[in-house]
Amino acid sequence: MAENRTSEYTEGVPCWVDVQLPDVEAGKRFYGGLFGWTFDDAGGGAVWARLDGVAVARLARKRDGRMPTVWTVYFATPDVRDLARRILAVGGRIVNDPVPVGDLGTAALAADPTGAVFGLWQAAGHPGFGVRHAPGGFAWAQLYTSDPDTADAFYGHLFTAALFGAGAEPDVGRAPVTEVFAAGMPSQFVVHFRTGDVGAAVGAVLELGGRVQAPPFETSYGKVAVVTDNQGATFALLQR
């Protein structure tokens, strides 16, 4: 069931995703064709992606060709600077220091001790997803890690309430990196979008110029395929 127009997220809950692309217009064609997203200007060459008029993601233009073409998941926090200090204290690192994003909120990028990069979001005018769990919307973030024990200790310490608190229903999990990627690949989060038919969605990805990294397989949280878009950004399709 869709969770509509959520306005607040507990610290440690995935609250937003964005993707850095060389060509935003090509990204609009790909994701519009795949998920039925519509788009409007977000400033600076970026666009909001909307599902039935509600914000579900942001597509941004890479400003430096050396940057990865990648989807990033952002975890909610009421105090991004305090969370950044706690990340450092438990062995993580801060990739980009907290910076205000207009009147929308404050963002930062961090990395866990195994090297997986993730975002932090302290909301102001932009609370995060307007809808989750609906077909075409965010459904899950899976950490593929080179060191599951270290990752468990890190996130369990930082986000105890979101992962293990009373009533917690996490939208995040973890698996060994080799479950999908070749040995030696860096640890990474893979953003999952929900689909009603993962096989048909994989077919659409191929027709739109993407490719398949891992064909549909069963997991504890649904049937998943890991794919890349027409510019090389990895994401997953989740049928549940």
Side-chain angles (χ1 to χ4, degrees):
M1 179 179 293
E3 180 180 327
N4 292 307
R5 290 161 177 77
T6 305
S7 60
E8 294 183 2
Y9 291 93
T10 301
E11 183 168 80
V13 172
C15 68
W16 190 243
V17 292
D18 67 17
V19 64
Q20 301 286 325
L21 297 172
D23 185 339
V24 170
E25 288 300 314
K28 288 165 62 177
R29 291 190 293 272
F30 180 90
Y31 290 102
L34 182 60
F35 295 132
W37 291 351
T38 58
F39 304 92
D40 54 76
D41 181 55
V47 294
W48 299 111
R50 299 189 184 275
L51 183 65
D52 297 326
V54 180
V56 292
R58 179 175 173 269
L59 279 57
R61 180 173 55 85
K62 287 202 304 185
R63 300 188 179 281
D64 185 334
R66 295 168 296 181
M67 294 172 61
T69 302
V70 64
W71 278 98
T72 300
V73 60
Y74 291 78
F75 293 93
T77 177
D79 187 335
V80 67
R81 289 173 177 79
D82 176 67
L83 179 54
R85 287 191 292 269
R86 288 186 280 129
I87 285 169
L88 293 171
V90 292
R93 62 187 177 89
I94 302 303
V95 178
N96 287 343
D97 290 331
V99 293
V101 184
D103 60 359
L104 301 176
T106 303
L109 285 180
D112 70 22
T114 78
V117 174
F118 57 97
L120 314 176
W121 182 250
Q122 180 182 332
H126 174 59
F129 298 121
V131 62
R132 298 181 297 169
H133 307 152
F138 170 83
W140 190 265
Q142 185 78 342
L143 171 62
Y144 289 100
T145 179
S146 59
D147 188 341
D149 290 341
T150 295
D152 287 352
F154 177 82
Y155 293 101
H157 182 85
L158 283 179
F159 301 143
T160 306
L163 294 172
F164 309 115
E169 297 182 358
D171 284 334
V172 62
R174 71 106 183 100
V177 70
T178 50
E179 185 171 298
V180 167
F181 302 99
M185 284 289 287
S187 300
Q188 57 193 284
F189 277 98
V190 175
V191 172
H192 291 46
F193 297 102
R194 189 168 180 179
T195 178
D197 184 334
V198 70
V202 165
V205 166
L206 294 173
E207 289 177 4
L208 290 161
R211 62 185 179 85
V212 178
Q213 286 190 268
F217 60 99
E218 295 292 341
T219 73
S220 61
Y221 55 93
K223 191 173 185 179
V224 172
V226 180
V227 298
T228 61
D229 68 15
N230 56 342
Q231 299 180 69
T234 297
F235 64 100
L237 303 161
L238 172 60
Q239 178 183 334
R240 62 192 318 186

